[in-house]
């Protein structure tokens, strides 16, 4: 009998991914439907050739060091700030993510949040359920239009562009910020205009964040940035919580420096600033950007294929973040 490579899966994924993996590898699945404790991860990874982890599993140098036979770290997410990629690269371990398959799904949630914040959908739903609806009224639940407004997109990668595509249908003016300006072709395709970050913040009615969390984007949006925004503007974050300074955001909302926010990600997930919960003009969702059945299945198949490419086919994983490891 041929020995099958051993793979640790830190939490159960949609079944098609599990089935594909189980055809090829010896899979150990965390039996609890809960995050794997650090201690269990360090124990579990010891004899494994691969690990499939989640965005809330911290795979740092200590975890990687514990895994002497590790040949792949496959993240079940597009963002990979939870992994010490440098430590993995040093060991020549490929790290993979799940790009592309969740772009449209995340852009849809972003647009749902823009509309929810502007049109007070959550607020209005709560009002109705509390039995407060006594009939149509001229001033009931007035929000703001999205149509014809200016959308500022911070980070014009796959997801940022997919959001722009939707905004076109709402006749929004689209402005974007990237550290390096993009080509004329891309700008033309999305009718998007390049702005400095400061100008984007000054001009936008809605600011939406689509950049990865790295050292240079930590607290990118803090005191100065909120002071540049319009008092009528909303901020939407479906990227990573720590890009926005949450304490300063609370202050900006309380002092009405901005009109509202819609957040799918938080600085200390799953913890959420208590004050954010108490403020009514916030829409808060539990990190569900990629959470459609279709997309989560595609992500599960994608991580499975990455693991199989390396451990079974002895090749390169299609979605490697650190391709240097193959040199
Ligand atoms: C979700 O947040 C992801 O990065 O896939
Ligand atoms: C992911 O799809 C991204 O745009 O980073």
């Amino acid at each position: 009998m041929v020995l099958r490579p051993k793979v640790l899966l830190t939490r159960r994924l949609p079944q098609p991914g599990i089935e594909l993996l189980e055809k090829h590898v010896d899979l150990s699945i965390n039996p609890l439907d809960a995050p794997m404790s650090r201690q269990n991860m360090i124990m579990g990874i010891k004899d494994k050739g691969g690990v499939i982890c989640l965005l809330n599993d911290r795979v740092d140098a200590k975890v990687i060091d514990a895994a002497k036979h590790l040949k792949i770290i496959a993240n079940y997410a597009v963002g990979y700030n939870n992994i010490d990629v440098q430590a993995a690269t040093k060991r020549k371990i490929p790290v993979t993510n799940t790009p592309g398959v969740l772009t449209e799904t995340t852009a849809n949630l972003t647009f749902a949040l823009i509309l929810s914040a502007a049109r007070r959908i959550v607020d209005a739903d709560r009002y109705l359920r509390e039995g407060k609806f006594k009939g149509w009224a001229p001033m009931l639940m007035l929000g703001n239009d999205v149509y014809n407004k200016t959308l500022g997109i911070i980070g014009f990668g796959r997801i940022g562009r997919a959001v722009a595509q939707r905004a076109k249908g709402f006749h929004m003016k689209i402005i974007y910020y990237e550290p390096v300006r993009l080509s004329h072709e891309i700008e033309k395709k999305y009718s998007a205009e390049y702005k400095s970050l400061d100008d984007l913040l000054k001009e936008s009615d809605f600011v939406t964040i689509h950049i990865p969390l790295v050292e240079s984007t930590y607290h990118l949006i803090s005191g100065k940035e909120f002071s540049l925004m319009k008092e009528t503007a909303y901020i939407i974050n479906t990227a990573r919580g720590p890009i926005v300074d949450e304490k300063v955001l609370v202050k900006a909302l309380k002092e009405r420096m901005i009109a509202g926010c819609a957040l799918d990600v938080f600085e200390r997930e799953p913890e959420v600033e208590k004050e954010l919960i108490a403020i009514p003009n916030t829409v808060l969702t539990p990190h569900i950007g990629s959470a459609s059945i279709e997309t989560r299945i595609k992500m599960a198949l994608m991580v499975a294929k990455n693991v199989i490419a390396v451990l079974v086919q002895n090749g390169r994983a299609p979605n490697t973040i650190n391709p240097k490891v193959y040199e």
Side-chain angles (χ1 to χ4, degrees):
M1 202 190 80
V2 193
L3 271 183
R4 285 149 51 106
K6 290 185 197 297
V7 175
L8 174 68
L9 172 55
T10 65
R11 193 158 179 180
R12 188 165 276 282
L13 302 180
Q15 197 57 24
I18 306 266
E19 280 166 16
L20 178 56
L21 283 162
E22 284 185 331
K23 275 191 202 147
H24 299 277
V25 303
D26 178 0
L27 195 61
S28 307
I29 308 175
N30 173 10
L32 308 174
D33 191 25
M36 201 162 191
S37 73
R38 189 166 166 79
Q39 203 182 351
N40 285 346
M41 201 184 322
I42 287 172
M43 289 291 293
I45 206 169
K46 272 202 168 111
D47 60 336
K48 301 300 187 293
V51 60
I52 299 169
C53 50
L54 313 183
L55 61 92
N56 42 357
D57 293 324
R58 187 156 56 89
V59 181
D60 56 16
K62 191 165 175 211
V63 174
I64 295 170
D65 280 349
K68 299 295 177 220
H69 312 284
L70 202 61
K71 290 199 182 74
I72 180 167
I73 301 169
N75 212 33
Y76 186 66
V78 68
Y80 48 83
N81 53 288
N82 55 307
I83 299 170
D84 186 339
V85 178
Q86 221 178 337
T89 307
K90 226 192 268 171
R91 287 259 318 270
K92 290 201 169 289
I93 300 169
V95 177
T96 67
N97 67 341
T98 60
V101 290
L102 49 71
T103 303
E104 304 296 329
T105 305
T106 306
N108 278 350
L109 183 82
T110 305
F111 231 84
L113 290 178
I114 291 172
L115 291 168
S116 300
R119 297 302 305 274
R120 304 178 58 183
I121 292 172
V122 177
D123 209 10
D125 177 278
R126 203 181 298 133
Y127 178 90
L128 182 145
R129 284 170 204 273
E130 285 169 2
K132 294 179 181 163
F133 181 34
K134 304 296 180 207
W136 189 90
M139 306 301 275
L140 179 62
M141 285 287 156
L142 302 190
N144 288 110
D145 276 330
V146 171
Y147 179 85
N148 264 347
K149 294 289 177 68
T150 298
L151 176 65
I153 302 179
I154 299 177
F156 214 57
R158 285 174 295 251
I159 297 172
R161 292 175 207 185
V163 171
Q165 189 73 43
R166 287 154 178 75
K168 271 173 115 175
F170 283 77
H171 293 262
M172 297 183 90
K173 177 179 175 185
I174 299 159
I175 59 180
Y176 78 94
Y177 168 73
E178 268 284 329
V180 178
R181 185 171 175 172
L182 299 172
S183 71
H184 180 63
E185 285 68 40
I186 293 171
E187 291 183 352
K188 204 168 144 212
K189 181 171 176 198
Y190 296 95
S191 316
E193 204 183 310
Y194 177 76
K195 295 283 175 183
S196 68
L197 182 57
D198 284 6
D199 285 345
L200 179 144
L201 293 164
K202 279 183 210 161
E203 294 173 29
S204 298
D205 299 301
F206 298 89
V207 172
T208 183
I209 301 172
H210 303 288
I211 48 173
L213 172 62
V214 291
E215 229 169 284
S216 61
T217 62
Y218 174 79
H219 281 188
L220 181 72
I221 306 299
S222 188
K224 179 192 135 205
E225 289 69 31
F226 286 117
S227 72
L228 292 173
M229 287 175 68
K230 295 182 185 177
E231 283 176 19
T232 50
Y234 296 85
I235 188 155
I236 291 90
N237 190 5
T238 54
R240 283 292 181 271
I243 296 168
V244 175
D245 188 334
E246 223 167 77
K247 284 210 163 29
V248 177
L249 169 64
V250 167
K251 188 164 170 281
L253 288 165
K254 279 176 138 175
E255 294 176 5
R256 301 195 178 275
M257 289 165 73
I258 61 170
C261 74
L263 308 175
D264 186 49
V265 289
F266 302 90
E267 211 177 327
R268 286 167 290 274
E269 284 175 28
E271 215 181 288
V272 177
E273 275 293 322
K274 290 217 170 40
E275 287 182 287
L276 266 182
I277 292 174
I279 297 170
N281 47 337
T282 60
V283 178
L284 310 172
T285 51
H287 204 148
I288 55 169
S290 67
S292 75
I293 295 167
E294 297 92 331
T295 289
R296 287 285 167 85
I297 289 174
K298 286 182 197 155
M299 288 166 66
L301 292 171
M302 201 170 207
V303 283
K305 285 175 189 162
N306 278 300
V307 166
I308 291 164
V310 171
L311 294 184
V312 181
Q313 295 158 346
N314 291 315
R316 297 179 174 209
N319 309 105
T320 307
I321 290 155
N322 54 348
K324 261 207 314 231
V325 298
Y326 301 123
E327 283 165 12

